[in-house]
Amino acid sequence: MIPRYSRPEMTAIWSPETRFQLWFEIEAHALDAMAEIGMVPKSAAQAVRKKSKGIKFDVARIDEIEREVKHDVIAFLTHLAELVGPEARFVHQGLTSSDILDTCFNLQLVKAADILMADVDALLAALKKRAFEHKYTPTVGRSHGIHAEPTTFGLKLAYAYAEFARARRRLHAAREEVVTAALSGAVGTFANIDPRVEEHVARALGFRPEPISTQIIPRDRHAMYFATLGVVASSVERFATEIRHLQRTEVREVEEYFSPGQKGSSAMPHKRNPVLTENLTGIARLVRSYALPAMENVALWHERDISHSSVERVIGPDATIALDFALSRLAGVVDKMLVYPETMQANLDRLGGLVNSQRVMLALTQKGVSREDAYRLVQGNSMEVWQGKGKLLDLLKADPKVTKALSKKELEGLFDLDYHLKHVDTIFHRVFGAAADELPTPARRGPRSTERRSQRRAKR
């Protein structure tokens, strides 16, 4: 992954220095086990450990050897022999390259998953904080991009919180899928290596032995891992897209933080573009694209081939580094996001009360009007509002077919915004659990709808 979309901690996992250090740890643990069961002299294992203490592998030297031998593991072992001397001949006894490569790859994926889960934790904290801040901030809910019924901005953030809580559980499951080590030798039969070696290495790494490997760890595990990254990336895109829509000039209910000195356009000085969330949308496309080759890696020839290898050398670093960057960026966007409650209220009032149409229709049915007739009556008046011929409450009050069933006072009561928000506490409790009862909730914010204000004036 290019440096622009990389963070140091995740990038370090995939560096050559880290990879060779992990290879050595796996080989050293295996050598310890071989010495313990008498496969190699204990003195050899002790010498390798002693001579390699504090060692730093020369990446350039390993690359130089690989250019000659055309084999990365052999190049590493040759360099190791240069560093530790004759005892290196006991390293890698009975093992095959995949034992080291696959176990190392799983180690890297596990370390990456731990970082990704920490990223999600930071995002969840930001979402939770802002959700409670805007728990009762009224806004219009939209379906098909069209005004539907009132909701709160806190609920929008709560749905994102719930989604990323699921994402964390999925990442944990993906991590568990690849917590396996395989050191079973050529074609996975343990012919030249004792199964106890595999068990020892797995235990030392905090892993489980792969129940059965065919010289490689089965790639359905990795397919599940990368598919999970794709799902998490899709959740990133979903929320990023919400912010992008809400920042549009015609909506402008929220906005990415625009720092002092920031420029939005090389041509138009007035521009404040949602560049961060647009960037997240693009990164999500990349992460999702890595899931397909991971799935195609599952079907290898017989006990093994290396068609998966080139794929994993790309998607392992790129998918995890990109998602790490995306999750961190989204947490920052949420934390600094500018929210405009007054604009939300103005947009809520913009269509003259149409957001209450369902409630009026239901009230008519409660008064004995058939659903079909109730729908027709409310829709007819609603279409007048769409054409700019008044507000829904006023038109309903002037419609004798409506007032025959509902009094004007009853109609006014159907335009109460709080009706739509009465179960916000219930939803928050479902999403946040006991914390929803413990955390302070701000008072309901923003100006009330024009209908509510007219009701208060009428009462006075």
Side-chain angles (χ1 to χ4, degrees):
M1 179 53 62
I2 62 174
R4 186 181 184 92
Y5 303 133
S6 305
R7 301 204 307 154
E9 186 181 7
M10 184 66 85
T11 303
I13 292 173
W14 301 101
S15 70
E17 292 82 3
T18 299
R19 182 172 72 254
F20 293 139
Q21 187 59 45
L22 292 176
W23 285 8
F24 175 73
E25 288 180 22
I26 296 165
E27 294 278 16
H29 286 313
L31 188 61
D32 290 341
M34 293 178 204
E36 189 66 31
I37 64 178
M39 283 182 63
V40 303
K42 288 187 177 180
S43 59
Q46 292 168 353
V48 170
R49 283 287 191 185
K50 183 177 180 180
K51 291 180 179 180
S52 60
K53 189 174 182 180
I55 198 170
K56 289 188 177 180
F57 296 103
D58 187 337
V59 176
R61 175 58 181 153
I62 295 172
D63 290 344
E64 179 186 4
I65 298 170
E66 185 181 355
R67 282 193 291 271
E68 177 185 351
V69 301
K70 306 297 191 294
H71 195 291
D72 54 355
V73 175
I74 292 175
F76 168 76
L77 293 171
T78 302
H79 178 54
L80 181 64
E82 294 174 341
L83 297 173
V84 304
E87 292 87 355
R89 70 186 187 277
F90 294 108
V91 176
H92 206 70
Q93 289 276 314
L95 298 177
T96 188
S97 299
S98 293
D99 292 326
I100 308 306
L101 295 171
D102 283 13
T103 302
C104 175
F105 189 48
N106 277 9
L107 268 171
Q108 291 170 301
L109 292 177
V110 166
K111 292 176 182 291
D114 288 339
I115 293 175
L116 292 173
M117 287 190 289
D119 292 340
V120 174
D121 287 339
L123 175 56
L124 288 171
L127 286 166
K128 184 175 183 179
K129 176 186 174 183
R130 302 306 300 270
F132 277 87
E133 178 186 349
H134 293 284
K135 182 177 181 180
Y136 287 116
T137 301
T139 190
V140 67
R142 298 170 173 90
S143 58
H144 306 276
I146 308 301
H147 284 203
E149 291 194 355
T151 183
T152 76
F153 191 61
L155 287 178
K156 285 178 176 281
L157 295 165
Y159 91 62
Y161 180 96
E163 185 165 350
F164 282 104
R166 294 192 296 274
R168 195 189 192 285
R169 292 193 293 271
R170 292 180 184 123
L171 285 169
H172 184 267
R175 181 189 190 278
E176 289 301 299
E177 192 73 32
V178 295
V179 184
T180 64
L183 290 93
S184 53
V187 300
T189 61
F190 295 101
N192 296 298
I193 188 73
D194 193 295
R196 289 175 290 176
V197 174
E198 181 183 71
E199 292 168 1
H200 173 89
V201 174
R203 187 165 53 251
L205 298 176
F207 275 29
R208 301 182 302 273
E210 183 65 45
I212 178 171
S213 60
T214 61
Q215 188 168 324
I216 61 166
I217 293 175
R219 258 45 193 184
D220 61 289
R221 294 186 180 277
H222 305 86
M224 187 271 198
Y225 185 99
F226 287 98
T228 297
L229 301 192
V231 173
V232 176
S234 295
S235 294
V236 169
E237 183 181 15
R238 181 188 183 195
F239 194 63
T241 300
E242 178 73 14
I243 295 170
R244 290 170 60 197
H245 278 305
L246 295 181
Q247 186 165 336
R248 285 180 299 127
T249 306
E250 297 79 4
V251 180
R252 202 167 177 267
E253 294 179 354
V254 304
E255 192 175 26
E256 291 178 9
Y257 176 71
F258 197 82
S259 61
Q262 183 175 342
K263 304 293 189 292
S265 167
S266 64
M268 297 166 282
H270 72 278
K271 295 296 292 296
R272 289 164 66 112
N273 302 327
V275 292
L276 301 180
T277 45
E278 288 176 334
N279 167 256
L280 291 176
T281 299
I283 291 177
R285 294 170 186 167
L286 280 177
V287 177
R288 273 198 306 274
S289 73
Y290 297 133
L292 181 58
M295 294 179 188
E296 292 176 338
N297 277 352
V298 174
L300 302 178
W301 285 18
H302 306 298
E303 278 59 55
R304 73 157 302 197
D305 64 50
I306 65 164
S307 60
H308 64 284
S309 176
S310 55
V311 172
E312 290 167 354
R313 290 174 191 266
V314 174
I315 69 173
D318 280 13
T320 55
I321 290 172
L323 186 56
D324 168 55
F325 179 88
L327 289 167
S328 176
R329 168 157 286 185
L330 184 57
V333 168
V334 172
D335 186 57
K336 294 184 176 182
M337 180 170 55
L338 304 176
V339 181
Y340 302 115
E342 294 79 10
T343 306
M344 291 180 178
Q345 185 67 61
N347 286 339
L348 191 57
D349 293 339
R350 185 177 177 185
L351 292 184
L354 287 184
V355 292
N356 297 289
S357 69
Q358 179 181 193
R359 193 177 179 201
V360 176
M361 180 189 71
L362 295 177
L364 287 170
T365 64
Q366 294 293 318
K367 293 289 188 175
V369 180
S370 71
R371 183 179 178 87
E372 292 74 16
D373 288 343
Y375 193 106
R376 179 177 50 79
L377 285 171
V378 177
Q379 186 184 43
N381 285 284
S382 297
M383 294 305 102
E384 295 286 306
V385 178
W386 273 109
Q387 295 169 19
K389 297 180 179 179
K391 296 181 179 179
L392 182 59
L393 179 58
D394 295 335
L395 292 173
L396 291 172
K397 286 180 177 180
D399 188 334
K401 295 180 180 178
V402 174
T403 55
K404 182 179 179 180
L406 292 169
S407 69
K408 294 181 180 180
K409 184 176 182 180
E410 286 175 320
L411 284 169
E412 290 174 353
L414 298 176
F415 283 70
D416 184 353
L417 178 62
D418 288 342
Y419 170 86
H420 296 276
L421 313 184
K422 61 181 180 292
H423 292 304
V424 170
D425 285 341
T426 299
I427 299 170
F428 263 62
H429 188 81
R430 288 181 174 183
V431 173
F432 300 104
D437 301 324
E438 296 167 2
L439 291 177
T441 297
R444 302 191 181 191
R445 320 172 45 154
R448 285 307 185 209
S449 66
T450 54
E451 289 78 11
R452 292 286 306 281
R453 290 196 293 272
S454 64
Q455 285 181 50
R456 289 198 295 272
R457 285 195 295 270
K459 289 178 181 178
R460 291 197 295 269

